[in-house]
Amino acid sequence: GRRSMASLSAGRRLFLQSRQQQQQRWIQTTSKALADPSRYVTGVTLSDIESNPSLAAYFKANFPEWQSEDTTTTRPIPTPPPPIDPLVALNIRPLSCQLRDPVKEEGSRACYRLRRNKLIPGLLYGSDPTKNILSIDHSSKIMIKTHWDDIFRETQRYKLHFENRVYELSVHDEEGNLVQDTPQLVVPRDVQWHPVKNLVICANYIRYYPGKPIKIPIKYINEEESPAMKRGGFIAPVSRTVECVVEEGVRIPEFVELECTGVRLKDVLRTERLIFPEGVKASHRVSDSTFLVGTVFGRRGDADDDK
């Protein structure tokens, strides 16, 4: 609830403070080392001098400074490992944007001008019960603009899976101050792409909170263990993502794996082959009887060999 979101933000602040302190920390301590007579006569130890008065007199006459020499050593205190960012632990990346002027930066022509200035127009909308934000309230819809470099970095890293990731979105005003109720957890939604340049021209965000269904991509594993796919077979996908519910405090997975071991031609792949991580389960809208991942196809000769 609201307490969990507040603890996440507090953990984020503590992480940034501790990282800044560690960058400035380089403490040195000195330790007084015992006088070492072997530095003057090889093989002589302190016990030899204490047990042999003649040897002690020899050192006193020839090396009067051997006991008073400053032999301090300096060493840095080992720095403990840096704390884990709570956002990284949950597989959530930060993202920032700015408010749009509802008068001067609304409409097609204004959006064209924003894109020429490397700003992508968009909208932040949706409900968030952890912050008492309801979608029926008109004030929940915020006009924003995201810098093109940030969008390009994320789309190059995650390609089309950009819309299946959770981000911590910070909204700033013209003076650079954070807008109230931000940062917020969001998921890109209804992202529009240029038909030729394959670049994002509009990026909208819907609010996210733990327990809200999110679509996660499906990844095939152990394809080499499938008799059909080893001989040129393939899966004709029907669903490339599966809607999941991630429990609070559980890392949001990059993919949901599909086990392909033993898959044969004309097999229909459903939810029983999906491997959900601990704390992640399919949404109630995903039915075991109707949800279809895909069907295995291949050459006719392969199907005859499988019989």
Side-chain angles (χ1 to χ4, degrees), residues 182-246:
T182 62
Q184 295 181 350
L185 298 182
V186 299
V187 177
R189 181 65 59 86
D190 299 329
V191 177
Q192 299 178 19
W193 298 77
H194 192 281
V196 177
K197 299 180 180 179
N198 197 29
L199 298 175
V200 174
I201 59 177
C202 180
N204 303 313
Y205 307 94
I206 186 170
R207 293 181 177 90
Y208 173 84
Y209 53 89
K212 183 175 182 177
I214 178 175
K215 293 184 178 181
I216 299 179
I218 298 174
K219 180 180 180 180
Y220 307 146
I221 63 172
N222 297 330
E223 298 178 69
E224 67 279 1
E225 301 297 331
S226 168
M229 301 183 72
K230 284 195 300 184
R231 289 175 290 184
F234 62 93
I235 298 176
V238 175
S239 302
R240 299 182 183 272
T241 60
V242 56
E243 191 176 69
C244 301
V245 175
V246 182

Side-chain angles (χ1 to χ4, degrees), residues 34-139:
L34 295 175
D36 186 8
S38 64
R39 297 177 58 188
Y40 302 92
V41 179
T42 304
V44 178
T45 62
L46 285 174
S47 60
D48 295 337
I49 296 177
E50 294 174 355
S51 61
N52 192 339
S54 300
L55 186 60
Y58 173 80
F59 265 80
K60 184 177 181 180
N62 294 278
F63 313 111
E65 75 283 355
W66 78 275
Q67 287 183 318
S68 61
E69 184 179 3
D70 185 11
T71 57
T72 58
T73 59
T74 303
R75 63 179 180 85
I77 292 181
T79 304
I84 300 177
D85 189 343
L87 292 181
V88 175
L90 297 177
N91 195 21
I92 299 175
R93 291 175 58 83
L95 195 63
S96 62
C97 65
Q98 300 175 351
L99 286 176
R100 269 198 295 159
D101 191 321
V103 178
K104 298 181 181 180
E105 297 178 337
E106 183 180 10
S108 299
R109 293 186 179 180
C111 291
Y112 290 148
R113 288 194 298 268
L114 289 175
R115 296 186 186 104
R116 285 195 294 267
N117 294 327
K118 287 193 171 184
L119 294 172
I120 307 300
L123 186 69
L124 173 61
Y125 65 100
S127 301
D128 188 354
T130 63
K131 296 187 177 181
N132 295 328
I133 300 176
L134 301 178
S135 58
I136 59 175
D137 188 359
H138 183 71
S139 61

Side-chain angles (χ1 to χ4, degrees), residues 266-284:
K266 299 182 181 180
D267 281 356
V268 178
L269 308 180
R270 299 189 181 274
T271 56
E272 66 271 6
R273 285 189 171 270
L274 294 176
I275 304 175
F276 293 95
E278 185 177 357
V280 181
K281 60 181 180 180
S283 170
H284 67 277

